[in-house]
């Protein structure tokens, strides 16, 4: 059992009592892959009342990166551009191949742990691109590196408009969000104010998640829709103003495609014209214009999983042809991917 056993027992009792006073089924989405890991590690689903369901959301950055972006960076690699990126991105399948496949064909693909590593490796190489993915948590590091001259293919995304899509979609039925702690530390709790749903920004310990579930149930019971912060030891209403300022200096919002959600208005981070010399999409546009519309694996249910419409076990490839050592879709690649977590934890 984890630290905070007595607190956890108390919270479980409160959750059961509050849930019993809500006469309907409730679906809560944990947006962030790190929350999915905590929920799986401590088997939190197994102790929830029958009318409370948890579903995973689009908060794993590797999972939501579009196949078009994967195909584009593979194309750059095959054309002779050196690519640096985070390790998980190598395994995500593209239409022709993954970045790992490009590496096996002789392309220069480098794994980095930070943009500082990428800057060092880039040196004076004019044919060097950092494939930047992730949300408001990783975007400030990319922004700082761009200011220092690193050429970046930006697949960065911002979270609030994606949550609005989930709230307004007819296909999804989400009664409340366990909202991401790391992203919220940057953008602040005020960033979610115009999302019309109960939301609790949660920390990552099991007791944080349990406390957030209880806070959401209390909102639902009282028919409230507001943003609360359980992770108040880190998240402030205004967020991290320095990080937000460097993001705004280097990037501007653009419509962008998310795996699962499709195109989400103003949820991408495009490098501003002022930094065009560091924008791989500008610098290598002649190579990128040859990238065709992606062909997706129709058997892979990642889009449904990222919308909370299916569980990994409902995919016919799960644990058969699709495994962490042979991922057929993005959700099996990252440790934060719902399929990879389900594979490891059962
Ligand atoms: Fe896609 Fe594999 Fe998950 Fe199926 S098990 S949805 S193929 S990642």
């Amino acid at each position: 059992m984890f630290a905070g056993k007595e607190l956890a027992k108390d919270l479980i009792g409160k959750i059961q009592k509050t849930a019993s006073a809500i006469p309907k089924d409730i679906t809560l989405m944990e947006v962030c892959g790190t929350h999915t890991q905590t929920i799986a590690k401590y088997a939190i689903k197994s102790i929830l009342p029958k009318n409370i369901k948890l579903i995973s959301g689009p908060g794993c950055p590797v999972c939501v990166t579009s196949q078009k972006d994967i195909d584009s960076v593979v194309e750059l690699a095959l054309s002779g551009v050196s690519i640096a990126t985070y390790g998980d991105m190598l395994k995500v399948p593209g239409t022709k191949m993954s970045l790992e496949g490009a590496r096996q064909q002789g392309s220069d693909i480098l794994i980095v742990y930070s943009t500082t590593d990428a800057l060092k490796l880039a040196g004076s190489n004019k044919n060097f691109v950092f494939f930047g993915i992730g949300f408001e948590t990783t975007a400030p590091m990319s922004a700082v590196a761009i200011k220092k001259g690193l050429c970046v293919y930006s697949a960065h995304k911002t979270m609030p408009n994606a949550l609005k899509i989930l709230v307004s979609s007819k296909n999804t039925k989400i009664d409340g969000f366990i909202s991401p702690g790391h992203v919220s530390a940057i953008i602040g709790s005020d960033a979610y104010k115009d999302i019309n749903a109960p939301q609790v920004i949660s920390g990552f310990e099991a007791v944080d998640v349990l406390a957030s579930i209880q806070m959401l149930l209390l909102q639902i019971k009282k028919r409230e829709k507001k943003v609360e912060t359980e992770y108040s030891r880190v998240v402030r209403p205004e967020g991290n103003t320095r990080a937000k300022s460097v993001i705004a200096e280097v990037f501007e919002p653009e419509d962008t495609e998310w795996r699962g959600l499709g195109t989400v208005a103003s949820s991408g981070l495009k490098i501003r014209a002022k930094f065009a010399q560091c924008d791989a999409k500008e610098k290598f546009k002649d190579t990128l214009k040859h990238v065709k519309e992606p062909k997706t694996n129709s058997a892979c249910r990642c889009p449904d999983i990222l919308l909370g419409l299916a569980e990994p076990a409902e995919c016919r490839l799960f644990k058969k042809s699709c495994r962490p050592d042979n991922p057929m879709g993005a959700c099996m690649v990252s440790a934060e991917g719902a399929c990879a977590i389900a594979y490891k934890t059962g």
Side-chain angles (χ1 to χ4, degrees), residues 128-175:
F128 187 101
V129 166
F130 173 67
F131 184 13
I133 64 142
F135 303 108
E136 292 92 335
T137 37
T138 51
M141 276 89 82
S142 288
V144 169
I146 288 167
K147 287 179 73 179
K148 290 180 180 172
L150 184 67
C151 184
V152 173
Y153 182 103
S154 173
H156 287 295
K157 294 179 168 47
T158 54
M159 190 56 82
N161 281 2
L163 299 188
K164 281 185 204 161
I165 292 276
L166 288 167
V167 170
S168 60
S169 165
K170 287 188 186 120
N171 296 328
T172 54
K173 185 205 153 289
I174 298 163
D175 297 293

Side-chain angles (χ1 to χ4, degrees), residues 42 72 291 318 321 328:
Y42 295 105
S72 296
V291 178
F318 180 66
S321 53
M328 307 290 285

